[in-house]
Amino acid sequence: MKTIAVIGAGTMGNGIAHVFAQNGFQVHLVDIAQASLDKGLATITKNLDRMLSKAVITEKAKENTLNNIATFTSLKAGVANTDLVVEAATENLDIKLQIFKDLDGICDTKTILATNTSSISITQIAAVTSRPEKVIGMHFMNPVPIMKLVEIIRGYSTSDEVTKTVMDLSSKLGKTPTEVNDYPGFVANRILMPMINEAIETLYNGVAGVQEIDTVMKLGMAHPMGPLQLADFIGLDVCLSILNVMYDGFKNPKYAPCPLLVNMVMAGKLGVKSSEGFYDYAESRKAEKVSSQFN
């Protein structure tokens, strides 16, 4: 494989593009909005600069990585002549199904179609294509350049050959690919999201406050980040979406999202992305801007 297309220039998409480009692949980063592409490239550049300042990479490596990335607002142009497409659009079933229908009609028959979905059925996505054996899940973890795990999810029809190809490819990226089966939430979110949801229930029921809950989990369970802070970083809307997928898939009340989470999402308090969730990030961003003016 030489050329990879990444659909979506958001947090996960630009991270995936960064990792492929840094490892010598030609990357086509595709998004419907030029502003999103510009923001994605700025994020990649900022992350490379951080690595450069820590002597993790050289100036030449940074230059090569950026030169390996081309941007496209046209899906047809962006996925032309690619060996693998990794879809990293928003976690919405209808959007993903439409993207895969379009990809199936545009891409060469040899092209492998992967999705970075964190919870949606690979089998369901593959069913809208004429190549279900070439559809697979590649669930990267955030932040992509740092986190080692990639969940490799086989759909019902995903071939052994495609699975091996994607597993080997993930290893070449310096990741640890782990094969899992196609059930709602896979492994990571099937375990993580109920824990986050229970932390929200604990807050909702008045057992303890936000900082107290996170402190117990950090100091008592050796978690690097408390579950409520982690939910803010993931995005409360994303957490809600994943819980709804699992609740719909399993019909088990233990996956039902806490009413507090539902209300916060409806109120637009989505975590870091909206500057407010369980924590208030507005002040820290103001301080960061002021600090940058003096540095």
Side-chain angles (χ1 to χ4, degrees):
M1 287 197 174
K2 295 180 180 179
T3 308
I4 314 295
V6 179
I7 311 299
T11 300
M12 295 305 295
N14 70 62
I16 294 167
H18 174 162
V19 168
F20 273 108
Q22 191 176 331
N23 284 277
F25 292 89
Q26 296 299 310
V27 177
H28 295 181
L29 184 58
V30 185
D31 200 288
I32 58 173
Q34 185 61 49
S36 296
L37 291 168
D38 293 342
K39 185 178 179 181
L41 279 178
T43 299
I44 293 170
T45 302
K46 181 179 178 180
N47 289 335
L48 288 168
D49 284 337
R50 185 180 295 115
M51 297 171 75
L52 184 62
S53 69
K54 295 179 179 179
V56 176
I57 61 171
T58 63
E59 182 67 43
K60 184 63 175 176
K62 172 191 168 182
E63 181 183 333
N64 288 341
T65 298
L66 292 174
N67 287 339
N68 284 340
I69 302 173
T71 61
F72 298 82
T73 53
S74 163
L75 182 65
K76 185 175 182 179
V79 302
N81 302 314
T82 56
D83 303 300
L84 168 71
V85 178
V86 182
E87 172 273 318
T90 187
E91 192 73 351
N92 178 289
L93 176 61
D94 292 337
I95 291 174
K96 290 186 186 294
L97 294 182
Q98 186 59 57
I99 289 172
F100 273 79
K101 285 179 184 177
D102 293 341
L103 290 174
D104 189 49
I106 296 170
C107 293
D108 189 280
T109 54
K110 69 178 176 57
T111 304
I112 295 173
L113 306 181
T115 174
N116 183 59
T117 180
S118 55
S119 60
I120 296 171
S121 167
I122 308 304
T123 302
Q124 186 174 8
I125 292 173
V128 302
T129 76
S130 61
R131 63 182 89 190
E133 74 284 355
K134 286 187 170 68
V135 178
I136 196 165
M138 291 183 77
H139 181 208
F140 290 84
M141 304 292 131
N142 186 35
V144 180
I146 296 172
M147 300 294 279
K148 291 292 186 182
L149 176 67
V150 183
E151 274 189 308
I152 306 298
I153 306 102
R154 296 183 65 147
Y156 185 82
S157 301
T158 307
S159 71
D160 292 340
E161 180 185 0
V162 165
T163 302
K164 184 179 185 307
T165 297
V166 172
M167 293 280 284
D168 291 344
L169 178 64
S170 300
S171 295
K172 290 177 183 176
L173 298 177
K175 303 300 185 185
T176 302
T178 303
E179 184 180 337
V180 303
N181 291 320
D182 186 21
Y183 291 95
F186 316 132
V187 172
N189 282 318
R190 184 170 179 171
I191 295 170
L192 175 63
M193 286 302 154
M195 183 191 74
I196 287 176
N197 199 42
E198 193 61 31
I200 299 171
E201 285 279 2
T202 303
L203 176 66
Y204 180 59
N205 292 327
V207 178
V210 171
Q211 292 188 1
E212 289 75 14
I213 291 168
D214 278 354
T215 297
V216 167
M217 297 305 291
K218 286 190 289 185
L219 300 185
M221 311 303 164
H223 290 193
M225 183 182 293
L228 299 177
Q229 186 182 16
L230 179 57
D232 276 353
F233 274 82
I234 294 170
L236 302 191
D237 53 336
V238 176
C239 293
L240 179 59
S241 175
I242 295 170
L243 284 164
N244 281 331
V245 167
M246 293 195 294
Y247 183 56
D248 290 343
F250 291 116
K251 302 295 188 290
N252 189 323
K254 75 177 180 179
Y255 299 114
C258 176
L260 175 58
L261 174 61
V262 175
N263 282 342
M264 289 179 72
V265 172
M266 286 195 296
K269 299 184 187 301
L270 308 180
V272 174
K273 69 175 76 174
S274 68
S275 295
E276 186 178 0
F278 293 106
Y279 293 86
D280 187 347
Y281 301 92
E283 290 303 319
S284 63
R285 287 188 176 182
K286 285 180 186 176
E288 186 178 286
K289 287 181 181 179
V290 170
S291 175
S292 66
Q293 292 174 0
F294 293 93
N295 293 315

